[in-house]
Amino acid sequence: MTQCCINPSILSADFVNLEAELQRISNADAVHVDVMDNHFVPNLTLGLPVVQRIQAVSPVPLDAHLMISDADRWAPGFADAGLASVTFHAEASTAPIKLARELRSRGSKAGMALRPATPVEPYLDMLAELDMLLIMTVEPGFGGQAFLDVTLPKIRRARAAVEGSGLGVAIQVDGGITEDTIARAAEAGANVFVAGSAVYGADDPAAAISLLRDKASRTLRGATE
């Protein structure tokens, strides 16, 4: 299984003081940037120009999660901006294999996200085209939602497929990740964890990241012993 990573979501940060908020999570593995267009999801957040400025001041790489319509058209621009990882939604792409290849060709890791009710099976044949598979553990669009345990079997099926393929595809989970839920997600097979309010709602976000990483890592080590 690939390395355990904690990617805090700045959706829960203070948007007026983003540069300072980024420095508070400098021990994270990446910054998870939620891009929402008020079409694919009923919320509006950040566009490419703001993401580029975030990248310019971030102490760690950017992991963009595009919750936007017409991902085939818009996602490559985020890769062109030099982001480390760009994740698009399968439900918003008409040619996901082509898009994943385009993201990689432009220098970004390619991720694909699935809503909680979207089955993983139709996409398992394209694992070789991906660096990361994001299993949403809440409905995309808003932070602070409760973790959906109904997604755990899907995470297990995705992990089994990745292990069976011999590929190093990371499995990311996003939504409701806390001290209480991260072990369940890790036990199911996730190894990259997006946490928003659990990090930025803490008095010491850096300490919260370390605690989450320790809990997930211990669970992942136990699963391989």
Side-chain angles (χ1 to χ4, degrees):
M1 189 178 294
T2 47
Q3 179 184 0
C4 169
C5 297
I6 305 297
N7 297 5
S9 169
I10 58 171
L11 191 62
S12 298
D14 179 359
F15 274 31
V16 176
N17 299 292
L18 271 183
E19 184 170 1
E21 293 284 73
L22 290 166
Q23 295 302 320
R24 297 174 76 199
I25 59 167
S26 60
N27 64 327
D29 296 284
V31 177
H32 189 82
V33 181
D34 292 298
V35 178
M36 307 181 191
D37 64 357
N38 201 31
H39 294 282
F40 182 71
V41 293
N43 198 1
L44 183 66
T45 55
L46 309 170
L48 181 56
V50 177
V51 174
Q52 289 173 310
R53 287 297 301 138
I54 292 170
Q55 179 172 247
V57 300
S58 175
V60 293
L62 264 60
D63 165 34
H65 176 194
L66 307 183
M67 287 169 272
I68 61 175
S69 300
D70 199 3
D72 304 278
R73 177 182 179 185
W74 299 112
F78 289 83
D80 286 341
L83 273 65
S85 177
V86 177
T87 297
F88 62 92
H89 267 265
E91 304 92 348
S93 172
T94 58
I97 293 175
K98 179 182 177 183
L99 179 54
R101 290 180 177 179
E102 190 164 2
L103 294 174
R104 282 176 160 181
S105 72
R106 298 186 186 206
S108 289
K109 291 184 177 180
M112 186 174 68
L114 303 175
R115 288 178 179 265
T118 301
V120 69
E121 286 76 14
Y123 302 98
L124 294 180
D125 287 343
M126 65 173 288
L127 284 176
E129 308 291 343
L130 300 172
D131 298 290
M132 184 167 66
L133 181 64
L134 167 53
I135 306 294
M136 290 298 299
T137 45
V138 298
E139 288 296 337
F142 295 92
Q145 300 181 63
F147 184 88
L148 295 174
D149 283 280
V150 70
T151 61
L152 291 171
K154 182 161 70 170
I155 297 169
R156 292 190 180 95
R157 295 194 298 274
R159 172 53 61 191
V162 168
E163 296 296 327
S165 71
L167 299 168
V169 179
I171 296 181
Q172 185 180 74
V173 287
D174 180 1
I177 298 299
T178 67
E179 290 180 43
D180 296 326
T181 62
I182 196 166
R184 299 206 295 276
E187 185 277 330
N191 66 292
V192 181
F193 306 89
V194 177
S197 54
V199 171
Y200 278 111
D203 292 334
D204 185 343
I209 290 168
S210 296
L211 178 60
L212 290 169
R213 184 183 287 118
D214 179 65
K215 288 203 168 192
S217 295
R218 283 191 282 112
T219 301
L220 291 172
R221 284 197 302 269
T224 58
E225 291 175 357

